[in-house]
Amino acid sequence: MKYIFVIAATFLASSCKEGYLDINKNPNDAVSSTPELVLSAALNATAGQLNPNQLGHFWAGHWSPSGSVSGFNGEKTYDIPGTFYSAIWTSSYDNLADYDYVEKTATTNKQLAFVGITKVMKVLVYQRLVDTYGNVPYSEALKGPAILRPKYDDAQTIYDDLVKQLEAAVVALKSPITAENPSPGAADIVFQGNLTKWVKFANTLKLRILLRQTNVASKASAIQAGIAKAVTDGGFLGVDENVLSTPGYLKTAGKQNPFYENYGFTAAGTLSGNHDFYTNADFFIKTLVNANDPRLDRFAVKANDGAWRGVPFGEGSDPYLYAKTSGFGPAILKGYDQSQVLMQSAESFFLQAEAAFRGYLTGATAQSLYESGIKESFKFLGVTNAATAATTYYSDQAAGSYTVASNKLEAIITQKWIALGAFGGFEAWAEFRRTGFPKVPLSTRAVGTKQPARLLYPNQELGTNSDNVKAQGTINQFDTKIFWMK
């Protein structure tokens, strides 16, 4: 009885303390963090999201499942359910919530450098959501318990605001670094606190968003004005200014570069479980072979019989076992600590080349910008004597010559498509949907004669936000086009 009394007395004496013995609270759970910690994690998460790029590489004609794996029926047939690649939706909004936390906290703390970076990254993620689904939650998104069922905003309206957000980001990024507005420093695993490069990234992302709307006739003047402002606000990513995430990968399970660990090798040096499931598509390999492109043996390796052989998308089984195909090459699977790619400088030059071709950009010719894009791609892939090899390549009338190309836009987009191989599948798919270039063949197992225009809203969204999903009308993956498509 003595011990019971002591315990009871202790409880009574302490019961006035709020939260005492509250079993619903974990004292080890962090309830807050700092912009520095969350920014690094959010940047790493964005760079490590493989689902959008994998699907993009399939549907843009870069990759194919090999004959060493069954499945991938939705990818090959285009007959997709509401569960198809739903991680694009969930991981994007999770990622956006982290950036939103940093932006709001940094705004309160007047840490404008952090505000600018998070605005840029939120635009990057939101654009991908719009390019995947069209109308999505935007103005009422990320409100937490305050708004559990956010409305869907018009995709064009979201795009217009994304441009404004990037312009606001540039203003914040140009604010002087002071004790009150510190440099992100090591928390910035992309540019290590180099805000000038963040400004260029913001402007290049803005250029991508503006050019995505070239099929919308009413946007011509806005595209012109937006590009002109980007030029005066600091310009675009230039030579060797690739946007890479380098958090410091380790040769440890779960801490390697996620691309390398998923498609390449384990920390122990053995083949990853997925290694033999993915290979290069027949369309991609033949495009490079036919142009005698020196990037071929950087993107791919020869099949075990010494041939260059990709898989016609939709095919499989024994003729296309992984060893019988041209798998990923040395520039793709470099090592456990290779950087993750957010944007290449090559893409920046190809965007500028298109802008110059359309008359939106002056000061450099479309041809010179196009050729600079090819050089940047050769360098990024590690082609031997890259600058000389690139010059030889784009001077070859049968390969990458701009001057003899009968369709200049097709030449620009095709070279961008090559540069994006293995590093920007989603972007390549978006550009194919916008321009029709290059002429990616249908899957051999396609249901019907159309390429997919978009994904369907995820089933879990229909279950938790059904009224707002249903308000979007009947959605079809072939005929419900994103607003910027032809």
Side-chain angles (χ1 to χ4, degrees):
M1 295 294 295
K2 173 183 177 182
Y3 299 107
I4 295 174
F5 173 77
V6 171
I7 294 171
T10 303
F11 178 78
L12 289 171
S14 306
S15 61
C16 61
K17 295 181 181 179
E18 184 179 355
Y20 180 74
L21 293 182
D22 186 345
I23 62 173
N24 294 313
K25 292 183 180 178
N26 181 355
N28 297 317
D29 253 357
V31 295
S32 64
S33 186
T34 65
E36 290 84 357
L37 290 174
V38 179
L39 177 63
S40 297
L43 290 169
N44 187 48
T46 306
Q49 290 173 354
L50 303 179
N51 279 304
N53 273 322
Q54 176 174 299
L55 182 62
H57 284 309
F58 285 155
W59 286 352
H62 290 138
W63 290 4
S64 176
S66 76
S68 298
V69 62
S70 60
F72 292 98
N73 291 323
E75 291 91 335
K76 293 177 179 179
T77 64
Y78 312 142
D79 186 11
I80 57 177
T83 55
F84 185 79
Y85 280 77
S86 59
I88 294 176
W89 181 282
T90 54
S91 62
S92 294
Y93 278 108
D94 284 347
N95 196 203
L96 284 166
D98 288 339
Y99 286 126
D100 197 57
Y101 171 85
V102 176
E103 182 180 1
K104 288 176 179 175
T105 305
T107 299
T108 300
N109 297 342
K110 298 181 180 180
Q111 296 172 290
L112 295 179
F114 285 88
V115 172
I117 290 172
T118 51
K119 281 183 177 293
V120 173
M121 295 308 296
K122 285 172 76 173
V123 168
L124 179 74
V125 179
Y126 267 123
Q127 185 193 12
R128 187 172 62 205
L129 280 167
V130 171
D131 291 353
T132 308
Y133 299 102
N135 301 344
V136 296
Y138 182 70
S139 61
E140 291 185 357
L142 311 179
K143 303 297 184 183
I147 301 180
L148 295 175
R149 297 173 179 82
K151 71 176 184 179
Y152 282 49
D153 292 274
D154 172 70
Q156 173 72 80
T157 302
I158 296 173
Y159 250 56
D160 291 345
D161 194 65
L162 294 182
V163 170
K164 293 177 182 177
Q165 293 300 314
L166 287 170
E167 291 175 351
V170 168
V171 173
L173 290 165
K174 287 186 173 182
S175 299
I177 296 298
T178 63
E180 188 178 46
N181 176 33
S183 168
D188 172 12
I189 61 174
V190 176
F191 290 129
Q192 295 73 50
N194 187 326
L195 300 185
T196 299
K197 289 186 178 178
W198 273 106
V199 167
K200 290 183 177 182
F201 182 29
N203 286 329
T204 308
L205 184 55
K206 179 180 173 183
L207 179 60
R208 178 198 279 180
I209 289 172
L210 291 169
L211 289 178
R212 188 77 92 238
Q213 302 173 78
T214 52
N215 292 324
V216 184
S218 61
K219 301 300 293 183
S221 60
I223 294 171
Q224 180 82 63
I227 292 175
K229 182 169 176 56
V231 171
T232 60
D233 278 351
F236 310 107
L237 293 167
V239 173
D240 295 328
E241 290 181 333
N242 298 290
V243 186
L244 308 174
S245 171
T246 312
Y249 296 115
L250 303 174
K251 197 172 179 60
T252 305
K255 296 183 179 180
Q256 298 191 115
N257 171 291
F259 184 99
Y260 182 83
E261 190 162 49
N262 190 67
Y263 302 110
F265 301 89
T266 69
T270 59
L271 298 181
S272 71
N274 292 333
H275 181 280
D276 290 358
F277 296 171
Y278 304 89
T279 191
N280 286 293
D282 176 68
F283 181 66
F284 188 54
I285 294 296
K286 284 183 176 177
T287 299
L288 298 178
V289 168
N290 291 341
N292 195 28
D293 196 313
R295 289 169 288 187
L296 176 59
D297 63 5
R298 303 299 296 163
F299 274 120
V301 294
K302 289 183 177 179
N304 59 2
D305 62 358
W308 290 113
R309 183 180 300 109
V311 179
F313 188 70
E315 296 301 307
S317 69
D318 185 73
Y320 298 106
L321 294 175
Y322 182 83
K324 297 180 180 181
T325 70
S326 296
F328 299 151
I332 311 309
L333 298 174
K334 295 179 181 179
Y336 72 91
D337 58 349
Q338 66 189 62
S339 298
Q340 287 280 94
V341 181
L342 289 169
M343 180 182 280
Q344 295 177 66
S345 56
E347 182 186 348
S348 174
F349 280 108
F350 289 126
L351 288 166
Q352 293 174 67
E354 180 181 348
F357 166 75
R358 293 181 181 276
Y360 291 132
L361 190 64
T362 59
T365 65
Q367 179 178 341
S368 66
L369 292 164
Y370 167 90
E371 292 172 353
S372 292
I374 293 175
K375 284 182 180 178
E376 289 300 291
S377 175
F378 273 52
K379 285 192 294 180
F380 187 77
L381 288 165
V383 174
T384 302
N385 299 320
T388 301
T391 302
T392 300
Y393 172 78
Y394 63 63
S395 299
D396 183 351
Q397 295 188 2
S401 176
Y402 184 83
T403 56
V404 301
S406 59
N407 188 322
K408 307 298 188 189
L409 179 62
E410 182 177 9
I412 293 169
I413 301 301
T414 299
Q415 285 300 322
K416 184 198 295 187
W417 172 79
I418 295 173
L420 291 170
F423 305 113
F426 186 87
E427 186 60 22
W429 179 48
E431 289 293 75
F432 168 68
R433 288 179 288 156
R434 175 177 72 99
T435 67
F437 301 129
K439 297 178 176 65
V440 179
L442 276 174
S443 167
T444 61
R445 291 182 54 199
V447 291
T449 59
K450 297 179 181 178
Q451 301 272 5
R454 54 165 296 148
L455 298 192
L456 307 180
Y457 293 117
N459 282 352
Q460 67 263 37
E461 180 68 3
L462 183 61
T464 59
N465 195 11
S466 60
D467 288 346
N468 285 311
V469 174
K470 291 175 182 177
Q472 308 314 305
T474 301
I475 304 297
N476 178 276
Q477 67 265 39
F478 302 109
D479 300 322
T480 310
K481 296 182 178 180
I482 310 300
F483 78 93
W484 43 255
M485 293 177 64
K486 286 185 178 179

